[in-house]
Amino acid sequence: MNYAGLLRSALVALTRNKMRSLLTVLGITIGIAAVICVVAIGKAGQARVEQQLNNLGDNFVWIEAGGRAINGVRTGTHDTKTLTVSDAIAIKNQISIIKSVSPNVDDPVQVVYGNQNWHTSYRGVAPEYFEIKRWYVDQGAIFSQDDVDRAADVCVIGRSVREQVFGVDDPVGKVMRVNNIPCKVVATLVPKGLSLSGQDQDDTVILPYTTAQKKIKGITWLDDILCSAVSQDAVKTAGQEATALLRDRHHLRPEQEDDFNIRNPEDIIQAQLDASKTLTILLIAIASVSLIVGGIGIMNVMLVSVTERTREIGVRVAVGATEEAIQLQFLGESIMLSLVGGGAGVLFGILGSYLVGQTLHWPMEMSIEAILVAAMFSIAVESFLDITRQERRHCSIRLKLCDTSKARENLWKRRGNEDQG
């Protein structure tokens, strides 16, 4: 079997009906392009949700001061003074599945440098905070434990504070006022962008928690204790163990409510991630329907082609063509349509994904698996449907050809009998 000649014959047959072939190719092109675009958009959406989950922190466990109802009074958050530095030390020493702990004190603040000022918020923390919250240094170096021990007047600023207060100047080494306390800027942070709630995470000033307690806020307690568990699976257990430890340290009776809250923001983002994956699977399933529609379109074109070329098939049979050769001829045309439509679909899918990424400012990632699966699925579906319909059509053609041959044979017999008579 000359397969090169078979493909050339298929190409010539398809170019005889250019408009019909073009419309058939368009169906499979749209199907493959839709699958590739949907997969790329779905992966980009999941990547954004995963980035938000990563920005929350390293297996983040957040213990917040303030119970929901203490002695019958609903106090809300940050309204109790029971959370202390000794609680943070106890959590670090007694809970083995928590690897890092940082006290936290925060409040709004006005910062001033030269003739520039900006209203932002500060966080008083330990050096471990940068590891827990996955903050990375852009310039300079973060403060040390020695700075915490002596309540040094040093700070680290986010990108938004840097732009609003210092503009294009290099802030490292400069001194700005934080509520009239002169603080030396020792580092700037790599920007994180907006949080899940839409808050600008880069609009912050970070300094030693002892400095915040003694020189800015004037308190001895903590607003939060921020922790990092040893693994993602240990986050829930770490929160439960921290709850038991703090209740014991705060001498709370079984009937009393907690005077602190264990926050789990990761649950919200994880739910979003699961919903995003489910939606992506649903969209892929919907887009895959267009592949089947494209396959049916090619099947119908082949059916019409077989019907129109019954005489050609009869001639081929008459000169000795086998049924297999005839089926391969039409199958070659089907595969040619699939290949052209598949190639165009891949190109349009990649181009469409790029345009969507540029419009939404999402980092689009092409899925090689989606491209291969969409192309192979389309070829397989179309070939299967085409072979199935051709098989039934050829049965009908064979019956007609058999009837025609018998009729011709009877005609020649009658003519022979007449000649003999």
Side-chain angles (χ1 to χ4, degrees):
M1 177 66 66
N2 185 355
Y3 292 103
L6 180 66
L7 291 178
R8 284 196 299 270
S9 175
L11 185 60
V12 171
L14 293 174
T15 52
R16 292 174 186 167
N17 297 283
K18 296 183 178 63
M19 183 58 66
R20 186 170 65 188
S21 299
L22 178 61
L23 294 175
T24 306
V25 167
L26 184 61
I28 195 61
T29 297
I30 294 174
I32 293 180
V35 171
I36 294 174
C37 285
V38 165
V39 172
I41 294 171
K43 292 186 69 173
Q46 291 178 24
R48 285 178 61 84
V49 176
E50 289 172 354
Q51 183 181 11
Q52 290 179 338
L53 182 61
N54 185 69
N55 284 342
L56 279 178
D58 181 20
N59 304 321
F60 190 39
V61 180
W62 178 11
I63 305 170
E64 182 182 50
R68 294 306 180 192
I70 302 175
N71 296 326
V73 179
R74 300 181 64 84
T75 61
T77 60
H78 291 184
D79 281 340
T80 63
K81 305 176 182 179
T82 55
L83 210 57
T84 62
V85 176
S86 59
D87 289 332
I89 296 173
I91 291 172
K92 178 66 171 65
N93 294 335
Q94 298 182 34
I95 301 179
S96 59
I97 58 176
I98 289 182
K99 61 182 179 180
S100 299
V101 174
S102 172
N104 179 83
V105 178
D106 58 72
D107 231 5
V109 71
Q110 193 80 14
V111 296
V112 180
Y113 175 76
N115 61 350
Q116 300 294 324
N117 67 89
W118 181 247
H119 186 75
T120 181
S121 61
Y122 71 85
R123 282 189 179 275
V125 297
E128 289 81 3
Y129 170 81
F130 298 94
E131 178 184 354
I132 294 172
K133 291 291 288 181
R134 290 195 175 111
W135 273 112
Y136 302 106
V137 174
D138 185 22
Q139 290 179 290
I142 63 173
F143 50 82
S144 63
Q145 184 61 42
D146 180 64
D147 293 324
V148 175
D149 294 339
R150 59 189 180 88
D153 297 334
V154 294
C155 65
V156 178
I157 61 175
R159 177 62 61 88
S160 298
V161 175
R162 173 180 178 173
E163 292 175 350
Q164 296 295 332
V165 178
F166 295 95
V168 297
D169 295 340
D170 183 3
V172 177
K174 293 183 171 61
V175 177
M176 68 178 186
R177 285 185 291 130
V178 180
N179 271 13
N180 296 322
I181 303 297
C183 283
K184 179 181 179 182
V185 179
V186 295
T188 60
L189 298 171
V190 175
K192 274 192 174 185
L194 299 179
S195 67
L196 180 63
S197 60
Q199 182 181 3
D200 185 4
Q201 298 181 89
D202 303 315
D203 189 8
T204 185
V205 175
I206 302 174
L207 39 79
Y209 71 88
T210 50
T211 305
Q213 281 182 318
K214 299 176 182 179
K215 300 181 179 181
I216 299 180
K217 204 168 184 180
I219 60 175
T220 57
W221 59 90
L222 300 176
D223 292 324
D224 309 273
I225 298 176
L226 310 177
C227 310
S228 178
V230 295
S231 68
Q232 180 64 39
D233 296 334
V235 170
K236 292 289 187 183
T237 306
Q240 294 169 359
E241 293 188 11
T243 299
L245 176 62
L246 290 176
R247 285 187 62 86
D248 180 64
R249 289 182 55 83
H250 297 176
H251 307 292
L252 296 175
R253 294 188 299 273
E255 66 274 10
Q256 289 182 296
E257 297 284 344
D258 296 336
D259 57 1
F260 55 89
N261 299 302
I262 304 294
R263 297 280 191 172
N264 293 297
E266 292 184 353
D267 292 344
I268 301 174
I269 296 184
Q270 190 62 48
Q272 286 188 344
L273 184 59
D274 294 339
S276 176
K277 290 180 180 179
T278 303
L279 181 60
T280 300
I281 294 173
L282 177 62
L283 292 176
I284 291 174
I286 294 173
S288 299
V289 174
S290 60
L291 290 177
I292 299 176
V293 173
I296 294 174
I298 292 182
M299 175 191 69
N300 291 332
V301 168
M302 290 298 99
L303 178 62
V304 172
S305 180
V306 171
T307 304
E308 291 178 348
R309 294 156 65 185
T310 304
R311 290 186 177 182
E312 178 185 338
I313 295 172
V315 172
R316 289 178 180 269
V317 172
V319 297
T322 63
E323 181 181 340
E324 179 185 1
I326 296 174
Q327 286 185 346
L328 285 176
Q329 174 190 354
F330 289 99
L331 183 60
E333 296 178 17
S334 175
I335 292 177
M336 181 68 70
L337 289 172
S338 301
L339 291 175
V340 174
V346 169
L347 292 177
F348 280 108
I350 294 174
L351 178 61
S353 301
Y354 174 78
L355 293 177
V356 171
Q358 292 295 313
T359 303
L360 300 179
H361 303 288
W362 287 6
M364 304 299 288
E365 179 181 351
M366 292 295 103
S367 174
I368 302 300
E369 294 83 359
I371 295 174
L372 293 177
V373 168
M376 297 304 296
F377 178 78
S378 67
I379 293 175
V381 168
E382 290 143 15
S383 300
F384 172 75
L385 293 174
D386 185 49
I387 289 173
T388 303
R389 291 300 296 269
Q390 282 189 49
E391 189 65 37
R392 286 186 290 180
R393 186 60 186 166
H394 277 302
C395 290
S396 174
I397 290 173
R398 284 199 302 271
L399 291 174
K400 290 180 180 179
L401 289 175
C402 288
D403 293 341
T404 303
S405 298
K406 289 180 180 179
R408 288 178 179 176
E409 184 179 351
N410 293 333
L411 179 61
W412 284 110
K413 285 182 179 179
R414 286 197 301 271
R415 287 183 178 180
N417 292 334
E418 291 174 358
D419 292 339
Q420 291 177 2

